[in-house]
Amino acid sequence: MDTAHPSFPILVALFVLLLGVTSSQPYEEFLQCLEFHDSNITSIVYTRANSSFSSLLESSIRNPRFDTSATPKPLLIFTPRQISHIESAIRCSRAHRIQIRVRSGGHDYEGLSYSTISPSLTFLVLDLRNLRAIQVDVPSKTAWAQAGATLGELYYAIAAESRTLAFPAGMWPTVGLGGHISGGGYGSLLRKHGIAADNVVDAQVVDVEGRILDRASMGEDLFWAIRGGGGNTFGIVVAWKLSLVSVPPTVTLFTASRTAQHKQNATEIVHRWQYVVDKLPNDVFFMVVLNSVANPVQANATTIQASFNSLYLGGIEGLIPMMDAKFPDLGLRRENCVEMSWAKSILYFAGFPLNSPLESLLDRTISATGSAKFKGKSDYVKEPIPISGFEGIWEKLKEVGVQTGGLILASYGGKMSEIPESSIPFPHRAGNIYQVEEVAFWVEDGVEAADGYLNWLRGLYEYMTPYVSKNPREAYANYRDLDIGRRARSWGSSYYKNNFDRLVRVKTAVDPANFFRNEQSIPPLSSWR
Ligand code: FDA
């Protein structure tokens, strides 16, 4: 017998063995690579075999839609404690062809900071939860804040130093600074001070070569791109230097709800709201939440509710006469209003009881939707929607159950109209009356239920087409929506308008091999032409 040639079964066994070795290689060699750089580093790596792996992964999944057994999971979770750990993770991931998904607060609407739509992708989650130091410097009105900090932690740290300083970012406390500012970041101060990314003055970034860069060393092109050009694209932001803004010691909030029936005239008031909201003094931020609610006077019936929520940078005495003069249609009364500090207004918008302690801002476990899954889409309105348009929206809202679908309209104008479209990648400026978020929530499990709600939401979005921005149909990058086209040019012009080409040029210069990427990250020229 010729012993020089192994038999077929032995060959198969060898092949199977080899396959096994090959598939475990990225993981083991990655760990060896990390240990080579720092012998203690593996204590911050959680593999699927680790008993904490699932709880760690789930702790920052903010959309239960991507917390199912079918959701693609990372090979491991890496939780750096210092910046050198990030450098090592980048070097070793590149060497072993493991994609990095960086996660700060985990609020990505499509779950792309901890998952993927490609089931076969080998990736790790670089979770910045341990990098969340914040240093506020009152005299210079600036703060350095690490990317793993939440908005609530930032606002709390600022409030601990001063009642009259604030930062113009989002209104939900657990949102992470890493993703939020990378995609723009708006909140109740946008009409007065612009968005979060407008108010960044320096940053610390680890680039694809593992270099630690600040504004001076990264140059103005990259510094421009990271302020709104989307996360997981140009490098890993470790910290932002933020320019803080002044706010009065007391601000006023109100909520006034009107239904479309029972002489409450919600339709007419929302219609009228569009004509005044972008022209109000910059001290006012005004939101309207539209949804279907149980009919208060008719059993088993629904009606449409418009809930007007506003923040005014001043006391009730200033707000009431201003609203009486500019928007009497709402009939705002003192009893609808409440005064508090700006930091506490974040808890108000997040639905906390009025007497909640400021420390509630530090709670990283609160959930906006509980166990409900959700999907959001976004639009910009430049011409008021006619009454008949709203009547059609009401019909759409009545198609879904009570409070399972809605629209959130957020006022623009003011400072937003003064900042040029190319100032930073976020381009939605002059000409917008308000931004719209269309959203669906559901608690039912399974693909069929999800498809029902997703189809409803897509139908609503389709219905909105004649009433919203066109060529391109603009969208907000931080309300990530994988429906708006697979081609980069398509979603790129919706999110970034004419800034898309500059973003591609920056990406091509800083990460030509497209190491930092996800399903909607800016591609380098070589990847999409
Ligand atoms: P997450 O960690 O999921 O990151 C989002 C994206 O940025 C991912 O692609 C991720 O890889 C990348 N990324 C994260 N950290 C990075 C880093 N350090 N460096 C580079 N890339 C990084 N928006 C708004 O403008 N105003 C608001 O009031 C709200 N409110 C709100 C409430 C709730 C309940 C949700 C779910 C979302 C919002 N948002 C919002 C949207 C929010 O701004 C958006 O989802 C942000 O991208 C979230 O940032 P996180 O760091 O939390 O998410």
Side-chain angles (χ1 to χ4, degrees):
M1 197 169 83
D2 185 357
T3 51
H5 297 93
S7 67
F8 183 70
I10 294 174
L11 262 181
V12 172
L14 273 175
F15 184 65
V16 169
L17 198 65
L18 192 67
L19 259 185
V21 169
T22 313
S23 62
S24 67
Q25 262 179 2
Y27 161 80
E28 283 167 9
E29 291 185 358
F30 176 78
L31 290 186
Q32 283 163 12
C33 174
L34 286 180
E35 269 175 342
F36 176 77
H37 286 280
D38 178 343
S39 56
N40 294 320
I41 209 166
T42 48
S43 65
I44 52 170
V45 175
Y46 298 80
T47 67
R48 290 178 190 172
N50 191 296
S51 59
S52 311
F53 178 85
S54 295
S55 57
L56 185 60
L57 182 65
E58 284 163 9
S59 62
S60 295
I61 294 184
R62 309 297 183 171
N63 188 348
R65 190 176 150 213
F66 305 107
D67 190 11
T68 71
S69 55
T71 309
K73 307 278 187 301
L75 194 63
L76 50 89
I77 307 169
F78 185 76
T79 58
R81 292 194 176 278
Q82 58 200 49
I83 198 162
S84 65
H85 293 160
I86 298 179
E87 296 171 62
S88 305
I90 292 174
R91 294 212 168 95
C92 296
S93 301
R94 283 183 71 187
H96 299 287
R97 296 176 181 277
I98 298 176
Q99 205 179 99
I100 287 183
R101 296 289 164 115
V102 56
R103 178 165 80 170
S104 289
H107 292 72
D108 192 292
Y109 271 31
E110 300 278 11
L112 299 188
S113 56
Y114 50 84
S115 190
T116 168
I117 59 169
S118 315
S120 58
L121 183 74
T122 304
F123 69 102
L124 66 83
V125 169
L126 186 95
D127 190 310
L128 297 182
R129 66 186 52 229
N130 295 323
L131 294 176
R132 52 186 217 253
I134 299 169
Q135 285 173 331
V136 178
D137 184 54
V138 174
S140 66
K141 289 173 66 175
T142 57
W144 268 106
Q146 286 188 312
T150 62
L151 291 177
E153 289 167 344
L154 173 67
Y155 300 151
Y156 184 84
I158 298 171
E161 298 292 330
S162 166
R163 190 179 164 110
T164 55
L165 285 180
F167 185 68
M171 294 174 292
W172 184 254
T174 60
V175 168
L177 294 184
H180 186 64
I181 302 180
S182 295
Y186 80 92
S188 62
L189 296 173
L190 96 163
R191 300 192 67 251
K192 181 85 173 180
H193 298 288
I195 60 169
D198 292 323
N199 291 279
V200 171
V201 289
D202 204 340
Q204 192 179 41
V205 174
V206 184
D207 77 355
V208 69
E209 302 300 335
R211 292 176 301 213
I212 304 168
L213 306 174
D214 65 3
R215 179 173 183 169
S217 54
M218 78 179 80
E220 286 303 304
D221 263 349
L222 180 53
F223 184 61
W224 174 84
I226 59 171
R227 288 174 293 157
N232 218 89
T233 303
F234 303 101
I236 294 173
V237 178
V238 181
W240 304 102
K241 186 177 183 186
L242 310 171
S243 175
L244 306 182
V245 300
S246 295
V247 288
T250 299
V251 304
T252 306
L253 291 113
F254 71 77
T255 302
S257 298
R258 304 284 182 265
T259 61
Q261 291 170 316
H262 318 117
K263 300 186 180 155
Q264 292 193 1
N265 301 335
T267 315
E268 291 72 19
I269 301 172
V270 178
H271 178 249
R272 181 75 198 130
W273 176 86
Q274 304 174 101
Y275 289 87
V276 292
V277 70
D278 58 324
K279 299 168 199 78
L280 289 172
N282 295 3
D283 289 330
V284 187
F285 170 71
F286 217 152
M287 257 170 43
V288 190
V289 180
L290 305 172
N291 56 14
S292 112
V293 294
N295 193 316
V297 295
Q298 198 183 336
N300 302 322
T302 58
T303 184
I304 297 301
Q305 178 175 272
S307 208
F308 295 83
N309 297 290
S310 176
L311 173 135
Y312 172 65
L313 293 168
I316 295 179
E317 299 309 326
L319 174 66
I320 299 275
M322 191 268 292
M323 289 294 287
D324 282 348
K326 310 259 182 204
F327 191 35
D329 319 60
L330 185 61
L332 184 67
R333 292 202 293 267
R334 290 185 76 89
E335 53 267 34
N336 299 129
C337 304
V338 54
E339 293 181 338
M340 61 186 72
S341 68
W342 182 82
K344 276 222 165 178
S345 77
I346 297 299
L347 295 176
Y348 178 94
F349 278 117
F352 279 77
L354 278 181
N355 57 358
S356 302
L358 203 55
E359 282 65 31
S360 307
L361 287 171
L362 303 176
D363 186 349
R364 292 174 74 104
T365 65
I366 56 168
S367 160
T369 64
S371 59
K373 305 134 187 97
F374 69 90
K375 174 158 176 74
K377 301 173 85 66
S378 58
D379 269 311
Y380 287 88
V381 171
K382 294 170 193 287
E383 297 290 336
I385 298 176
I387 293 263
S388 59
F390 281 109
E391 285 166 348
I393 293 174
W394 301 167
E395 291 308 312
K396 286 278 165 204
L397 291 175
K398 284 178 187 165
E399 285 173 14
V400 280
V402 165
Q403 295 191 339
T404 55
L407 297 93
I408 302 166
L409 321 181
S411 58
Y412 264 51
K415 180 81 176 176
M416 291 300 279
S417 300
E418 293 163 20
I419 300 174
E421 286 194 0
S422 59
S423 165
I424 60 169
F426 176 99
H428 316 291
R429 306 289 187 173
N432 292 306
I433 306 175
Y434 56 95
Q435 174 194 276
V436 180
E437 179 181 10
E438 298 98 347
V439 66
F441 301 97
W442 64 99
V443 288
E444 298 93 323
D445 290 327
V447 176
E448 207 175 312
D451 283 348
Y453 289 99
L454 294 174
N455 287 338
W456 172 81
L457 184 66
R458 288 169 186 144
L460 172 65
Y461 187 73
E462 182 63 31
Y463 173 81
M464 295 295 286
T465 308
Y467 306 118
V468 297
S469 62
K470 296 166 189 62
N471 304 316
R473 183 167 182 175
E474 296 172 37
Y476 176 33
N478 260 344
Y479 292 161
R480 191 193 298 290
D481 179 5
L482 290 178
D483 292 349
I484 60 172
R486 285 289 157 86
R487 287 174 53 247
R489 172 64 78 190
S490 164
W491 54 257
S493 56
S494 291
Y495 290 154
Y496 309 112
K497 296 178 75 179
N498 292 333
N499 294 327
F500 178 69
D501 286 342
R502 182 173 175 194
L503 286 168
V504 171
R505 285 199 299 278
V506 178
K507 174 73 176 179
T508 309
V510 301
D511 182 17
N514 207 12
F515 172 70
F516 292 115
R517 67 180 185 277
N518 62 33
E519 288 77 351
Q520 266 188 355
S521 55
I522 300 288
L525 267 179
S526 56
S527 297
W528 72 286
R529 279 230 168 121

